Amino acid sequence: MRLEQLLTPHLKGFFKKDYQKEIKKFEFQQTRKEFKGDITLVVFPLLKYIKTNPAQLAKNIGDYLKSNLSEIKDYNVIKGFLNLELQDDYLIQVLDDIYNDDNFGKKAPNGQKLMVEFSSPNTNKPLHLGHIRNITLGFAVAQIMEYAGFEVFKTQIINDRGIHICKSMLAWQKFGHGETPESTGMKGDHLVGKYYVRFDLAYKKQIQELVDKGITKDEAKAKAPILKEAQDMLKRWEKGDEEVVALWEKMNRWVYKGFDKTYKSLGVDFDKNYYESQTYLFGKDTIQNGLDKGIFFKKPDGSVWIDLSDEGLDEKIVLRADGTSVYMTQDIGTAIKRIEDFGIDKMVYTVGNEQDYHFKVLFLILKNLGYDWADNLYHLSYGMVDLPSGKMKSREGTVVDADDLIQDMALTAKQISEEHGRIEEYDAQQQDYLYQTIGLGALKYFILKVDPKKRIVFDPQKSVDFQGNTGPFIQYTYARIQSILRQYKSNPNQKLETYRLDEKESELIKILDQFPNLILQSAEQYSPALLANYTYELVKSFNSFYQNLSILGAESDNQKLFRVKLSASTAKVIKIAFKLLGIDVPDKM
């Protein structure tokens, strides 16, 4: 907040002049509502420099600031807390600065390159609700980091190889009868996902048949013929078998086309895609170099491992006995390739918390291989998304499909909008846009307002509520402000006369002024939740202002002008914040 920047040099001067102490950092916080003040200096941390009574020290500081800063109107001391009151002129100037800054809160470029990886789906199934949390979280982090001054590259690693991919391919060969997205009318990712489920059904049937013959279940899982066929297909793919590769290319094309439609619906994009089918070979080369240097070791069966027991972990496989790659092999190669391609300073992996251990191991392996940039890799770990009915399972076909969910959210928005009677003035095209905007806003906000580390139980009906901490509530407030601005007939850019602030007005300005600091906090913590919940608090403050003070019916033109500017500034910050979260705001609702 700019007030902290204003106060800090004066505080440094006070301590140097009166106590001959060099103090570089001061702790500020918002004044608690039960006390009078606009910002509070916490005095207790200063007692390690100045051995005195905290209340007396706070009074001395307050006297100094009131005498030397015209922006300070008064102060009060509550134990070791110095509560400072600001002059109205200062807050009015703050509002004027916000009103005139179209990029309010945006930081200057800091010279650092950052890559954010998100989505990164498998090509054996369509995107689902879990992917939507990943995508909305990763995209929002990328947007926030860019606004905070980083040069940002958005990327994903397409998991387009491995045994799970071969399972879909094999099932299509066996049971598909040549059907295609065109012949079935299905999106390509949905069609391929159908055969991933079909493989699992056949696999379970074979396991049961083997168990019925007296084999243990664990033995049956390993000996099921269809699994052996899939494993053989993977080996043939890695050897470049023309028939297998051609099938793989065809089915992947179907999936990519389907993914692109979903990404477009979600409003996200990528600067570059990486493919495991390309990076795994580079990873294998790195493993060989590590073997030569003694970083990795071979077991008697030919598999390659690394021993991380000195770092408090255990042994980790990096290459199977048959020479095929594991996920770790591919991630090693991909990380190195990205550094070479973009010269990035930092990298954020948006991946669920079930992979926490994997990323600890990955970062340690890269460190052991001599890559110092491994210290700048960050795993943005997040909790899973459940439904009220329980956990989703891809192979059993019990996931919530992303495309279906997006459509269902728009239908839910339509139903609730009709119940509230807010659509009569719109034509059909405007209604469709509104339902999509509200539905997607509800979905994304419901996910993003939660701390990434926490698990979510997603309830579509609650997310589209027009009251409370929801996307539609914030969107509706923005639309309400746009209605006010449309009704204001005078020039909002005219000069404001001397003005005395109401408590509701000053409170709203102070919350607006927190926005630049919130951007930095959200970036430092990789947490869109901080920004989302700040926006809700801003909207609550505006609605309190709106309900208690008349805007267009104000007593004077000067008062009306000020409150219109305050409303417009609030709408500006809402729009910027929601854009960073990947959410649109409609001008009418």
Side-chain angles (χ1 to χ4, degrees):
M1 197 162 76
R2 74 189 73 197
L3 186 56
E4 296 176 14
Q5 297 169 351
L6 171 71
L7 293 171
T8 297
H10 290 275
L11 289 168
K12 287 181 178 179
F14 166 76
F15 280 100
K16 190 169 185 179
K17 175 178 174 293
D18 284 26
Y19 295 97
Q20 294 76 53
K21 296 289 184 180
E22 294 278 354
I23 301 178
K24 296 181 178 180
K25 192 173 181 181
F26 301 90
E27 184 180 336
F28 298 97
Q29 63 185 34
Q30 291 300 118
T31 304
R32 291 168 59 178
K33 290 185 177 180
E34 59 264 37
F35 302 123
K36 199 171 184 181
D38 298 303
I39 189 169
T40 295
L41 173 68
V42 184
V43 175
F44 294 110
L46 303 173
L47 298 181
K48 64 182 177 182
Y49 304 101
I50 313 295
K51 305 300 181 184
T52 186
N53 179 279
Q56 184 59 53
L57 179 58
K59 183 179 183 306
N60 294 344
I61 298 170
D63 287 339
Y64 177 83
L65 293 176
K66 187 175 178 181
S67 299
N68 289 274
L69 270 81
S70 61
E71 292 87 354
I72 303 300
K73 179 167 63 176
D74 205 351
Y75 73 89
N76 64 83
V77 175
I78 306 294
K79 297 182 179 179
F81 298 91
L82 173 61
N83 303 319
L84 299 167
E85 295 179 58
L86 301 171
Q87 296 284 5
D88 284 357
D89 287 349
Y90 174 79
L91 289 172
I92 291 168
Q93 183 58 53
V94 167
L95 176 64
D96 201 49
D97 292 344
I98 296 170
Y99 179 79
N100 290 303
D101 186 356
D102 289 337
N103 294 306
F104 178 57
K106 188 171 186 177
K107 308 303 175 186
N110 60 22
Q112 294 191 66
K113 294 181 178 181
L114 172 84
M115 181 172 283
V116 181
E117 175 194 290
F118 60 98
S119 188
S120 301
N122 297 330
T123 57
N124 64 316
K125 55 190 176 184
L127 302 173
H128 55 63
L129 175 55
H131 288 112
I132 289 181
R133 184 173 199 188
N134 182 301
I135 293 165
T136 56
L137 179 59
F139 186 76
V141 165
Q143 300 272 94
I144 291 167
M145 299 303 286
E146 186 171 34
Y147 210 72
F150 289 85
E151 182 181 359
V152 175
F153 303 97
K154 301 186 293 292
T155 186
Q156 61 176 333
I157 174 74
I158 307 292
N159 302 308
D160 63 342
R161 63 166 299 278
I163 190 66
H164 51 292
I165 309 298
C166 291
K167 288 176 180 179
S168 293
M169 291 163 56
L170 183 64
W172 182 85
Q173 271 188 334
K174 285 179 169 293
F175 314 118
H177 307 294
E179 67 178 14
T180 67
E182 292 75 22
S183 68
T184 60
M186 294 178 69
K187 277 179 81 233
D189 51 335
H190 289 197
L191 180 63
V192 173
K194 168 184 168 182
Y195 286 100
Y196 184 59
V197 175
R198 185 68 181 81
F199 177 93
D200 191 60
L201 291 172
Y203 178 49
K204 286 179 177 176
K205 182 181 178 182
Q206 290 185 358
I207 291 172
Q208 189 58 50
E209 289 171 351
L210 291 170
V211 169
D212 291 343
K213 293 178 180 178
I215 297 177
T216 67
K217 191 165 187 179
D218 286 341
E219 288 178 318
K221 286 180 179 179
K223 291 183 177 181
I226 197 168
L227 177 63
K228 294 280 189 182
E229 289 183 79
Q231 292 169 338
D232 178 64
M233 180 177 276
L234 176 61
K235 291 176 186 176
R236 289 163 57 203
W237 182 91
E238 290 203 3
K239 290 178 180 178
D241 181 282
E242 289 185 7
E243 181 184 350
V244 175
V245 169
L247 175 61
W248 169 80
E249 288 176 341
K250 177 171 67 175
M251 293 182 71
N252 276 351
R253 280 195 299 271
W254 295 346
V255 174
Y256 298 148
K257 194 172 179 180
F259 284 169
D260 286 345
K261 287 183 180 179
T262 308
Y263 291 142
K264 186 176 180 180
S265 296
L266 288 170
V268 302
D269 59 358
F270 300 91
D271 297 301
K272 184 175 177 63
N273 293 332
Y274 285 87
Y275 300 89
E276 284 192 356
S277 57
Q278 298 168 0
T279 61
Y280 88 100
L281 291 172
F282 190 54
K284 291 175 83 169
D285 291 341
T286 303
I287 300 303
Q288 184 57 53
N289 291 337
L291 269 172
D292 296 340
K293 294 176 181 178
I295 297 168
F296 304 114
F297 68 93
K298 271 191 178 181
K299 288 195 173 183
D301 66 355
S303 60
V304 181
W305 298 69
I306 186 169
D307 185 359
L308 297 172
S309 54
D310 289 344
E311 283 89 353
L313 303 179
D314 54 14
E315 294 182 349
K316 179 68 179 178
I317 187 170
V318 293
L319 211 61
R320 296 188 185 95
D322 61 6
T324 57
S325 301
V326 294
Y327 278 122
M328 190 62 68
T329 324
Q330 296 150 187
D331 284 348
I332 291 168
T334 305
I336 296 168
K337 190 76 172 70
R338 285 167 170 165
I339 296 293
E340 290 179 352
D341 288 349
F342 290 93
I344 51 178
D345 301 290
K346 293 185 177 183
M347 171 78 193
V348 177
Y349 292 86
T350 311
V351 182
N353 58 15
E354 76 278 7
Q355 295 295 325
D356 285 352
Y357 183 79
H358 174 87
F359 282 98
K360 284 181 184 178
V361 172
L362 172 64
F363 299 164
L364 274 174
I365 290 176
L366 290 166
K367 186 75 173 173
N368 286 342
L369 286 168
Y371 297 111
D372 292 337
W373 44 258
D375 289 333
N376 297 323
L377 303 177
Y378 179 78
H379 174 207
L380 178 54
S381 174
Y382 64 89
M384 294 294 99
V385 184
D386 295 328
L387 299 167
S389 59
K391 190 175 181 180
M392 301 180 294
K393 297 179 181 178
S394 296
R395 63 172 59 91
E396 294 178 12
T398 60
V399 299
V400 176
D401 178 78
D403 300 302
D404 291 344
L405 180 59
I406 292 168
Q407 185 177 8
D408 288 347
M409 291 301 297
L411 291 173
T412 303
K414 177 181 180 181
Q415 176 190 348
I416 294 177
S417 296
E418 289 174 344
E419 289 173 359
H420 285 76
R422 291 174 170 152
I423 58 170
E424 294 86 351
E425 61 184 274
Y426 306 118
D427 61 30
Q429 186 175 358
Q430 289 173 325
Q431 287 180 18
D432 287 343
Y433 164 76
L434 186 61
Y435 301 147
Q436 287 289 337
T437 302
I438 295 172
L440 269 180
L443 172 61
K444 292 181 179 182
Y445 187 82
F446 191 96
I447 289 171
L448 292 174
K449 72 178 181 181
V450 180
D451 183 279
K453 294 181 177 61
K454 293 183 179 179
R455 202 174 189 111
I456 294 176
V457 177
F458 179 69
D459 187 328
Q461 198 73 23
K462 287 182 180 178
S463 73
V464 189
D465 196 335
F466 281 88
Q467 297 296 324
N469 190 6
T470 68
F473 174 65
I474 295 171
Q475 289 172 320
Y476 181 68
T477 301
Y478 176 85
R480 167 183 281 169
I481 296 173
Q482 296 309 305
S483 176
I484 293 168
L485 300 181
R486 285 192 295 270
Q487 294 175 63
Y488 183 66
K489 303 304 180 184
S490 301
N491 178 13
N493 297 313
Q494 59 189 295
K495 186 174 176 57
L496 188 73
E497 298 172 11
T498 302
Y499 193 82
R500 183 173 179 81
L501 290 173
D502 181 90
E503 182 183 347
K504 295 292 182 183
E505 294 169 330
S506 61
E507 177 189 330
L508 185 51
I509 294 171
K510 286 181 286 184
I511 294 177
L512 287 168
D513 195 34
Q514 294 171 22
F515 183 63
N517 197 42
L518 245 295
I519 293 294
L520 289 179
Q521 288 180 29
S522 298
E524 288 167 2
Q525 298 181 39
Y526 303 103
S527 178
L530 293 177
L531 181 57
N533 287 289
Y534 160 82
T535 310
Y536 175 57
E537 292 302 318
L538 172 63
V539 164
K540 281 202 303 183
S541 180
F542 174 82
N543 280 309
S544 179
F545 153 74
Y546 174 82
Q547 289 159 10
N548 286 277
L549 302 174
S550 179
I551 299 175
L552 297 179
E555 295 176 0
S556 68
D557 289 341
N558 193 51
Q559 196 175 60
K560 187 187 299 183
L561 171 64
F562 178 81
R563 291 176 181 173
V564 165
K565 280 193 168 185
L566 181 53
S567 300
S569 299
T570 302
K572 175 186 291 183
V573 173
I574 293 172
K575 187 171 186 176
I576 293 172
F578 260 37
K579 182 179 181 182
L580 296 179
L581 296 174
I583 302 173
D584 289 335
V585 282
D587 288 336
K588 294 181 180 181
M589 275 181 73

